[in-house]
Amino acid sequence: MISNIKAFFDSATWTVSYVVFDEPRGSCAIIDPVLDYDPKSSRTSTRSADKLIEFIHQQQLSVEWILETHAHADHLSSADYLKNQLGGRTAIGHSIPVVQKSFKKIFNLGDEFIPDGHHFDHLLTDNEPFQVGKLTAKAISVSGHTSADMAYQFDDAIFVGDTLFMPDVGTARADFPGGDARQLFRSIQKLLAFPPETRLFMCHDYPPTDRSVEWESTVAQQRAHNIHVHDGITENEFVAMRNRRDAALEMPTLLLPSIQVNIRAGKLPSAEKNGVAYFKIPINLI
Ligand SMILES: [Fe+2]
């Protein structure tokens, strides 16, 4: 059982980032770090990322990996900032070129954006093992929310990305380009096939008013209580529910800026001749 998991909750985007480490003064992986972004002023800030850095310095950890579960659409990634500050290798699922290609088209990016995944130091394949100091971790392909989602297993703990949410919230949407509700259901079944006591760590929580924010559940709890995928719900029932629900959801506030940073592994778009970087906002397309 792995005990060294530190969660950081970002209340602006409801995102949970994690530092997983083998032991104090040992090695760590960072999962889904946030770069703060104020859409009103279009200013970034490293307030959230600096909290991770402070913890990593306190524990005297060396960073081996900066992992993204997917190209997030609701927050910008601070992977590039953290890599510059702390070192480590960035990684995401091996299908990220599919996501990059579809957004290259949407944002009409030029020849300088090559959608081959090279922005990341490593692309993880399904079931690929990797080391974090003394810990052996494994990537598990869980596409559906996007076509490149990965979950990361460290012993009895799995960081599930945007697949499952807490049981009373349900599951992630599957209506972004490359998303697929049927595939999401199958990926979730992979996670729910782990032993009942397996601990699942969410990438988000959107708590109802009667409870505070939580990010940890178990396979047993999800199978018994998840409102969208508890035992007994069929694939077709899930797909019908998911598609109906997704049709009524608004786009995330930070969708357009997030994607432009996250398909570049957390780098901002290149600055123009005046030294300023710009986001592109397509009109009447999304
Ligand atoms: Fe997401």
Side-chain angles (χ1 to χ4, degrees):
M1 176 162 168
I2 168 165
S3 50
N4 292 320
I5 298 171
K6 174 75 176 170
F8 298 81
F9 181 71
D10 172 40
S11 55
T13 63
W14 310 94
T15 302
V16 193
S17 308
Y18 298 93
V19 175
V20 189
F21 56 109
D22 57 356
E23 58 192 5
R25 293 179 298 283
S27 301
C28 74
I30 297 168
I31 302 174
D32 290 334
V34 171
L35 180 70
D36 306 300
Y37 178 71
D38 172 20
K40 292 185 186 133
S41 58
S42 192
R43 288 200 80 90
T44 62
S45 139
T46 58
R47 185 181 42 84
S48 294
D50 289 336
K51 285 184 197 160
L52 272 66
I53 293 176
E54 191 186 339
F55 176 77
I56 286 166
H57 283 159
Q58 265 170 14
Q59 298 288 325
Q60 299 177 45
L61 301 171
S62 82
V63 179
E64 298 210 358
W65 291 101
I66 303 170
L67 305 169
E68 299 286 355
T69 53
H70 62 291
H72 305 276
D74 52 20
H75 67 271
L76 285 64
S77 165
S78 58
D80 188 60
Y81 170 72
L82 290 171
K83 182 181 160 173
N84 290 330
Q85 296 292 314
L86 300 169
R89 301 172 74 202
T90 57
I92 198 165
H94 68 104
S95 297
I96 191 67
V98 178
V99 177
Q100 290 177 321
K101 275 180 201 129
S102 73
F103 284 107
K104 176 173 182 172
K105 204 168 162 199
I106 286 170
F107 289 109
N108 194 29
L109 301 178
D111 293 340
E112 72 287 354
F113 184 82
I114 302 165
D116 63 356
H118 76 276
H119 308 79
F120 297 84
D121 295 316
H122 186 66
L123 302 184
L124 288 153
T125 55
D126 191 18
N127 288 317
E128 182 176 337
F130 57 98
Q131 286 301 122
V132 178
K134 293 172 181 162
L135 302 173
T136 302
K138 192 173 85 170
I140 304 167
S141 174
V142 287
S143 58
H145 171 64
T146 75
S147 43
D149 282 57
M150 282 287 177
Y152 299 115
Q153 182 190 3
F154 291 72
D155 196 14
D156 71 320
I158 305 178
F159 298 86
V160 302
D162 281 9
T163 52
L164 293 159
F165 293 143
M166 292 303 287
D168 57 353
V169 182
T171 58
R173 65 197 298 169
D175 61 334
F176 295 143
D180 182 333
R182 195 166 295 280
Q183 187 53 47
L184 178 61
F185 183 84
R186 292 175 187 177
S187 294
I188 287 171
Q189 296 311 311
K190 270 166 87 172
L191 296 174
L192 297 181
F194 278 86
E197 63 279 11
T198 307
R199 292 176 297 156
L200 304 175
F201 290 86
M202 311 299 123
C203 181
H204 296 287
D205 189 31
Y206 309 96
T209 47
D210 60 346
R211 71 162 171 83
S212 53
V213 176
E214 293 174 28
W215 45 77
E216 181 180 345
S217 66
T218 64
V219 165
Q221 288 164 352
Q222 294 285 359
R223 290 183 61 163
H225 303 299
N226 187 293
I227 56 170
H228 297 164
V229 287
H230 63 73
D231 284 356
I233 291 185
T234 66
E235 184 172 304
N236 284 341
E237 285 169 341
F238 174 81
V239 170
M241 176 284 302
R242 193 64 268 170
N243 290 339
R244 199 171 51 240
R245 209 177 142 78
D246 287 349
L249 291 176
E250 286 187 347
M251 283 293 125
T253 311
L254 299 185
L255 170 79
L256 297 170
S258 295
I259 291 289
Q260 292 176 73
V261 169
N262 298 345
I263 59 172
R264 295 178 167 97
K267 289 187 190 71
L268 298 177
S270 302
E272 299 192 4
K273 283 184 187 139
N274 62 357
V276 179
Y278 294 83
F279 286 129
K280 295 180 86 170
I281 306 294
I283 299 168
N284 296 331
L285 184 65
I286 301 282

